[in-house]
Structures are given as C-alpha cells and as structure tokens.
C-alpha cells in the first residue's frame, strides 16, 4: 500500500538515493505514473420494489456517477498527457450495492483507480472529482461521498541525476548496455522521490507476471 515507505520517508532516513526493487526486465525505470484510489458511496431510501416511488435507488444514483466517469472524465483524461508516460487514466474496479431484487437499494459503493501524471496534484484532483460529483445533483453537495483510500506519487527523475548515472555505468559494465524505460504502474520509488530522496526502479522479472497466480522470474 505504500504505507511503510511513506512512514520511513517521514523519519530521519535520508540516504543519497534509493533503488526500489521491482520486476523491470533489468531496465532502469526513471519515470512512472502515480495512483489515487477513491471510494465513492451513494445513499438512497429503502422501499419495497412493488412501490419503488416510495424509495430512492442508490444504484441508479451510482449509475449517474459511472456514466460521468465513462463519458466525461475518461475522454477528458486522454488530453492530459506526459511526453514519456502518455495519458492519465481512470478505472472503476469494484461495485457493491443492494440486498435483493425486491428491495430498492439504499446503498451503493465503488472503488476507483485514477492513474496520475507527474504534473498533477493529488489534493487538487480529489477536489476536482468532488466538484464533479456535486454537479450531478441539483441539490449539490451530498449526492455522493468520496474518500481518498490510497495514494502513490508519480516518479519523474532526470537520467542525469547522480543515481541514474551511477546505475547506467554499473549496468553497462555488468551487461554490456544500460536500458532505460518508463512504467504505467506505480511504486514506492514515487513515495521516496516525493520526500526529496532521488529514486529509481530496477530488478529482474517481468511486470507481466506481477499479481498473477503463478509469479516467476525467468533465468
């Protein structure tokens, strides 16, 4: 979750640089996207489905949120681009709501993953998202609630930084070449860099096997 790295970065821990081990196919990764995790809830009023007009359907309310994400926010994000990392993105990963088919649901919730760029600010993005949610209802604030569950800062370190130059020389000596790359995923390297500690990513294995049932590293 990044909590350990964040806690460490807030102590007196101040090395010259940090190399975070991740499966990078032995490439040196000097830039990656960040990640914001939002938990959104809509509330309604429960009623029997034979008289739905007596209730307020929380799932229908969430449908308006999902429609906004798909048709307004996602297309807008394609215009927010980084020269190396490409566009910012958003994904709705989970949804839960209702009790059974014959009850108007009084509650619905989703978890959202928003991939961020080095130029974007977490607090500003969350405030912008809250404003969009409030705009979905004539009543304004209160249509839906949003909580910030998790945040990984993006990484963007110059390849001319001392740790990058050192890593490049070491890779060239060991393997005959130094390969540079970027990543669409997030890591603790962004946490350390946000705390003022130069950081990059390096390690064996492929991200294609990460978070799968049978992770492995090819020899």
């Amino acid at each position: 979750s990044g909590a350990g790295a964040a806690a460490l970065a807030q102590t007196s821990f101040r090395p010259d640089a940090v190399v975070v081990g991740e499966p990078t196919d032995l490439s040196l990764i000097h830039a990656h996207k960040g990640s914001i995790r939002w938990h959104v809830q809509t509330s309604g009023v429960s009623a029997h489905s034979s008289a739905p007009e007596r209730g307020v359907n929380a799932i229908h309310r969430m449908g308006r949120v999902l429609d906004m994400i798909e048709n307004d926010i996602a297309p807008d994000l394609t215009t927010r681009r980084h020269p190396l990392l490409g566009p910012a993105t958003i994904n709705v990963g989970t949804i839960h709501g209702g009790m059974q088919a014959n009850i108007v649901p009084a509650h619905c919730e989703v978890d959202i993953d928003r991939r961020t760029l080095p130029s974007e600010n977490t607090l500003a993005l969350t405030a912008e998202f809250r404003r969009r949610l409030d705009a979905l209802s004539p009543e304004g604030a209160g249509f839906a609630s949003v909580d910030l569950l998790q945040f990984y800062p993006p990484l963007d370190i110059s390849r001319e930084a001392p740790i990058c130059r050192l890593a490049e020389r070491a890779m060239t000596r060991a393997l005959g070449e130094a390969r540079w790359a970027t990543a669409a995923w997030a890591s603790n390297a962004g946490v350390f860099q946000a705390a003022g500690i130069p950081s990059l990513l390096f390690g064996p294995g492929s991200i294609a096997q990460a978070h799968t049932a049978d992770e492995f590293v090819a020899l």
Side-chain angles (χ1 to χ4, degrees), residues 42 58-68 95 108:
T42 53
I59 292 178
H60 289 178
R61 283 188 163 187
M62 187 62 77
R64 292 164 64 183
V65 174
L66 300 181
D67 181 71
M68 177 191 67
I95 184 167
C108 188

Side-chain angles (χ1 to χ4, degrees), residues 59 62-63 66 92-97 108-111:
I59 292 178
M62 187 62 77
L66 300 181
V92 180
T94 70
I95 184 167
H96 304 280
C108 188
E109 59 188 47
V110 298
D111 288 319

Side-chain angles (χ1 to χ4, degrees), residues 40-104:
V40 177
Q41 299 183 71
T42 53
S43 297
V45 177
S46 182
H48 195 277
S49 63
S50 62
E53 70 280 0
R54 295 180 181 176
V56 177
N57 194 306
I59 292 178
H60 289 178
R61 283 188 163 187
M62 187 62 77
R64 292 164 64 183
V65 174
L66 300 181
D67 181 71
M68 177 191 67
I69 290 172
E70 181 179 8
N71 296 305
D72 295 332
I73 295 180
D76 178 59
L77 292 185
T78 62
T79 67
R80 304 187 189 188
R81 304 185 68 88
H82 183 275
L84 297 176
L85 299 173
T89 60
I90 191 168
N91 178 67
V92 180
T94 70
I95 184 167
H96 304 280
M99 298 176 62
Q100 58 190 49
N102 65 338
I103 299 176
V104 175

